[in-house]
């Protein structure tokens, strides 16, 4: 089945005629787009006189705009003279926000290790590989916020970077106190893979494999990948080591 690929420039799809049906009937061009595997979530109005459609294709948000005569659909961004994307807010509210909220719920039920005060209001989920230097750097930046009790990191331990990553992550998750084992990995005075029996290591390995699968299913490619809620309660994510502006958004609310 032919699929629609989001273009760099606007793509216009036109139909010379459409069914002479009632006003509320779905326009033929929108029906055509849906047949190509695009999911239409909802419609929204724009100040440009075009009807917007918030859609998704293969999990990615997509803006579609219907011309007033309902014969043509424009796929892409609709901007004004200031460069504002007129569909960005609607696309987030109708497509990205519900998807991100589902991700948040999945992370809450994943096997994570608490790093910080369990009552800290600021919760940050982060995919962590024991050998990831950027994960260590992120933890160093988080340290003062954790010490003040403002932030709790929830480390979703994965093993993807080195041959020994799964074993080391498994030793943390399989330990009698994963929290203590995590801290040993952060401040490596001891090796968390030592003094752990084979059964605990095997159980930990299963948990790490589940976390690896979750990371893959969510389409995350790098550690750390951090997920948090902004001041409006919207779920946001930062893939890889955060930049300066991202760090401020991540830790300061």
């Amino acid at each position: 089945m032919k699929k629609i690929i989001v273009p760099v420039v606007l793509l216009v799809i036109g139909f010379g005629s459409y069914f002479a049906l009632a006003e509320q009937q779905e326009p033929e061009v929108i029906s055509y787009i849906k047949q190509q595997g695009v999911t239409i979530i909802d419609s929204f109005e724009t100040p440009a006189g075009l009807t917007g459609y918030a859609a998704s294709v293969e999990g990615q948000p997509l803006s579609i705009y219907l011309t007033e005569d309902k014969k043509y659909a424009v796929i892409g961004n609709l901007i004004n003279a200031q460069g504002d994307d007129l569909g960005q807010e609607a696309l987030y509210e109708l497509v990205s926000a519900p998807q991100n909220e589902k991700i948040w719920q999945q992370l809450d039920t994943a096997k994570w290790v608490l790093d910080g005060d369990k009552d800290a209001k600021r919760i940050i989920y982060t995919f962590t590989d024991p050998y990831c230097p950027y994960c260590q750097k992120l933890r160093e930046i988080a340290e003062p916020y954790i010490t003040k009790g403002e932030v709790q990191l929830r480390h979703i331990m994965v093993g993807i970077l080195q041959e020994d990553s799964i074993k080391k992550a498994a030793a943390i998750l399989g330990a009698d106190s994963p929290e203590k084992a995590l801290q040993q990995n952060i401040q490596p005075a001891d090796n968390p893979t030592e003094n752990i029996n084979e059964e605990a290591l095997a159980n930990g390995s299963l948990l790490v494999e589940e976390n690896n699968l979750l990371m893959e299913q969510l389409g995350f490619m790098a550690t750390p990948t951090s997920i948090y809620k902004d001041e409006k309660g919207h779920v946001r994510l930062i893939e890889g080591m955060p930049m300066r502006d991202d760090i401020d958004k991540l830790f300061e609310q």
Side-chain angles (χ1 to χ4, degrees), residues 204-252:
S205 295
L206 292 176
L207 297 175
V208 175
E209 293 288 0
E210 290 178 5
N211 287 347
N212 283 359
L213 180 60
L214 175 62
M215 185 177 181
E216 181 181 346
Q217 289 173 338
L218 295 177
F220 301 154
M221 304 296 291
T223 55
T225 290
S226 304
I227 302 93
Y228 68 101
K229 288 190 175 182
D230 65 17
E231 67 280 357
K232 295 181 180 180
H234 294 160
V235 178
R236 304 292 186 181
L237 67 90
I238 301 171
E239 193 164 7
M241 183 64 199
M243 299 294 100
R244 181 71 260 173
D245 290 346
D246 289 332
I247 288 173
D248 292 340
K249 295 174 184 176
L250 189 59
F251 293 112
E252 297 177 7

Side-chain angles (χ1 to χ4, degrees), residues 144-212:
Y145 301 97
I146 292 174
T147 301
K148 292 177 185 177
E150 298 174 353
V151 167
Q152 54 169 299
L153 293 184
R154 296 181 175 183
H155 295 268
I156 302 174
M157 302 304 303
V158 295
I160 60 174
L161 293 183
Q162 294 191 22
E163 186 176 347
D164 197 38
S165 286
I166 289 181
K167 181 180 179 182
K168 197 168 186 180
I172 294 172
L173 289 181
D176 291 337
S177 173
E179 291 78 13
K180 181 179 179 180
L182 175 68
Q183 295 306 317
Q184 289 176 343
N185 185 71
I186 293 170
Q187 306 291 338
D190 301 301
N191 185 344
T193 62
E194 295 177 353
N195 304 318
I196 181 169
N197 62 56
E198 290 300 319
E199 182 180 358
L201 194 60
N203 290 337
S205 295
L206 292 176
L207 297 175
V208 175
E209 293 288 0
E210 290 178 5
N211 287 347
N212 283 359

Side-chain angles (χ1 to χ4, degrees), residues 8-25:
V8 176
V9 297
L10 295 181
L11 168 67
V12 179
I13 299 174
F15 282 77
S17 62
Y18 57 97
F19 295 128
L21 299 176
E23 278 266 322
Q24 66 270 24
Q25 183 67 31

Side-chain angles (χ1 to χ4, degrees), residues 16-249:
S17 62
Y18 57 97
F19 295 128
L21 299 176
E23 278 266 322
Q24 66 270 24
Q25 183 67 31
E26 181 176 81
E28 184 181 3
V29 64
I30 296 299
S31 298
Y32 170 80
I33 290 173
K34 290 168 66 175
Q35 291 169 11
Q36 312 313 306
V38 176
T39 300
I40 303 293
I41 308 299
D42 205 347
S43 62
F44 59 93
E45 296 305 315
T46 73
L50 303 177
T51 299
Y53 287 84
S56 67
V57 56
E58 296 183 351
Q60 298 301 311
L62 177 69
S63 296
I64 301 170
Y65 297 96
L66 185 68
T67 56
E68 188 174 359
D69 61 11
K70 300 184 180 182
K71 292 182 180 181
Y72 305 94
V74 181
I75 300 174
N77 296 333
L78 181 66
I79 64 172
N80 60 19
Q82 290 72 46
D84 300 320
D85 185 346
L86 302 184
Q88 184 176 27
E89 184 175 348
L91 201 62
Y92 180 82
E93 293 291 342
L94 295 172
V95 182
S96 298
Q99 289 178 345
N100 289 348
E101 190 58 41
K102 288 180 181 179
I103 290 174
W104 188 265
Q105 294 170 7
Q106 286 179 277
L107 299 179
D108 186 49
T109 58
K111 185 59 178 179
W112 44 265
V113 183
L114 178 65
D115 183 8
D117 188 338
K118 64 180 178 61
D119 295 321
K121 293 183 179 180
R122 187 68 159 174
I123 297 172
I124 302 170
Y125 291 98
T126 184
F127 284 84
T128 302
D129 186 294
Y131 289 105
C132 172
Y134 297 110
C135 298
Q136 294 281 10
K137 181 63 177 177
L138 179 65
R139 178 56 178 75
E140 290 173 11
I141 295 170
E143 174 64 29
Y145 301 97
I146 292 174
T147 301
K148 292 177 185 177
E150 298 174 353
V151 167
Q152 54 169 299
L153 293 184
R154 296 181 175 183
H155 295 268
I156 302 174
M157 302 304 303
V158 295
I160 60 174
L161 293 183
Q162 294 191 22
E163 186 176 347
D164 197 38
S165 286
I166 289 181
K167 181 180 179 182
K168 197 168 186 180
I172 294 172
L173 289 181
D176 291 337
S177 173
E179 291 78 13
K180 181 179 179 180
L182 175 68
Q183 295 306 317
Q184 289 176 343
N185 185 71
I186 293 170
Q187 306 291 338
D190 301 301
N191 185 344
T193 62
E194 295 177 353
N195 304 318
I196 181 169
N197 62 56
E198 290 300 319
E199 182 180 358
L201 194 60
N203 290 337
S205 295
L206 292 176
L207 297 175
V208 175
E209 293 288 0
E210 290 178 5
N211 287 347
N212 283 359
L213 180 60
L214 175 62
M215 185 177 181
E216 181 181 346
Q217 289 173 338
L218 295 177
F220 301 154
M221 304 296 291
T223 55
T225 290
S226 304
I227 302 93
Y228 68 101
K229 288 190 175 182
D230 65 17
E231 67 280 357
K232 295 181 180 180
H234 294 160
V235 178
R236 304 292 186 181
L237 67 90
I238 301 171
E239 193 164 7
M241 183 64 199
M243 299 294 100
R244 181 71 260 173
D245 290 346
D246 289 332
I247 288 173
D248 292 340
K249 295 174 184 176

